[in-house]
Amino acid sequence: MNSHDPFDDLEGELTALGPLLDTPSPPPPDDVAAAVRARLELRPQKRRRPTWRPWRPWRTRRARWRIVAAVVLAVVAVTAATPQGRAAVARILRIAGVELQLGDTPPTPVRTTANLPGEHPVATDDLPGLVRFQVRTPAELGPPARATVADQGRLVSMFWPDGVRLDQFQGGVDPFFFKKLGPPWPDYVEMAGTTAWWIPGEHPLGYIRRQDGTEIPLRQAAPTLVWQRDALTYRLEGAGTRERAVRIAGSLR
């Protein structure tokens, strides 16, 4: 019998999260760590009689993501309340190729617009032969009005008349996009079979060149939903509300 505990890797995942959290200098006082611990313990735990259940990988992955997300949000919320912590709340989250650069004040808006590297319009019917992954379209919106391909086929963008934009690309450790954010900060969203982050306010959006890490400002972005599924990253902008964004995301086909 396989005795592997599905939560054995949780400690490793949280340890791996460490390098993504900048440490202030000098370090914050001990009461910051205590506040983080107290915030994590606020959620009531229901006592249940142990029952046997078959192991389902998707359930354990979702449970681990809930814990990781709770740790990240608690650290961000508490450290930002201290002078030392505010200096550390920057470049703190990376999710599937999108880097969220968090600060304690709203960033300066981007007043100009720029295209992605090599971005050019294409016919939607030609997309399968132009990119290295399966392109999906949300049934909630129907066929897009237009589409573009950028960065030598690494990224596909679709556009609809009501202002909705869907970017999709192969996610990885190295980020493609960066977003500069101030309060209100991203919200953790649980969707069927995956997890996501909802960015509720307008924010500067940019692109990161893989070769040298150069940041290229693009434009001021509308509220956005970011998630990953099957090694692909999706960035849905312009849906208006979190509820509509989640509904559109759930209709990808």
Side-chain angles (χ1 to χ4, degrees):
M1 176 181 289
N2 183 1
S3 60
H4 177 66
D5 185 342
F7 288 94
D8 283 346
D9 297 330
L10 177 57
E11 181 177 355
E13 292 183 19
L14 293 175
T15 301
L17 183 66
L20 304 185
L21 302 176
D22 293 341
T23 303
S25 180
D30 293 340
D31 58 350
V32 172
V36 171
R37 188 178 303 110
R39 188 179 182 92
L40 291 173
E41 292 173 352
L42 282 178
R43 299 181 67 179
Q45 302 295 323
K46 296 181 179 179
R47 300 183 63 88
R48 298 179 179 176
R49 290 183 297 177
T51 57
W52 180 88
R53 292 183 179 179
W55 176 58
R56 294 183 173 88
W58 64 270
R59 281 188 176 175
T60 57
R61 285 196 298 269
R62 287 170 62 185
R64 287 200 301 268
W65 264 106
R66 282 196 212 99
I67 298 173
V68 171
V71 171
V72 170
L73 293 178
V75 171
V76 171
V78 175
T79 57
T82 67
Q84 299 95 332
R86 279 193 289 271
V89 181
R91 304 170 66 89
I92 199 166
L93 287 178
R94 286 183 178 178
I95 172 172
V98 179
E99 181 175 276
L100 308 182
Q101 302 177 3
L102 308 182
D104 64 333
T105 58
T108 302
V110 176
R111 303 299 184 187
T112 59
T113 60
N115 291 330
L116 291 162
E119 186 174 16
H120 60 279
V122 298
T124 55
D125 292 342
D126 295 338
L127 285 174
L130 298 175
V131 298
R132 311 168 188 175
F133 53 89
Q134 180 182 358
V135 178
R136 293 186 172 94
T137 302
E140 181 79 13
L141 298 177
R146 61 186 183 93
T148 63
V149 171
D151 203 354
Q152 300 179 350
R154 293 192 180 102
L155 188 148
V156 170
S157 301
M158 296 179 175
F159 304 84
W160 284 264
D162 63 351
V164 174
R165 172 183 180 141
L166 175 64
D167 298 314
Q168 46 192 303
F169 58 93
Q170 290 179 317
V173 176
D174 295 329
F176 277 69
F177 288 105
F178 71 87
K179 294 172 175 287
K180 294 185 177 181
L181 309 176
W185 287 339
D187 291 330
Y188 170 74
V189 179
E190 184 174 326
M191 301 192 304
T194 187
T195 55
W197 293 92
W198 169 250
I199 301 167
E202 292 189 357
H203 54 276
L205 172 71
Y207 197 72
I208 300 176
R209 288 191 183 275
R210 283 179 172 269
Q211 293 83 354
D212 58 6
T214 302
E215 295 184 350
I216 305 172
L218 294 177
R219 56 189 168 78
Q220 190 76 356
T224 304
L225 184 71
V226 178
W227 75 100
Q228 186 177 35
R229 177 175 292 159
D230 299 331
L232 294 179
T233 296
Y234 298 91
R235 183 187 163 279
L236 180 66
E237 179 185 349
T241 65
R242 176 169 59 180
E243 291 72 22
R244 184 177 183 230
V246 170
R247 190 168 63 252
I248 293 172
S251 72
L252 279 183
R253 299 290 184 269

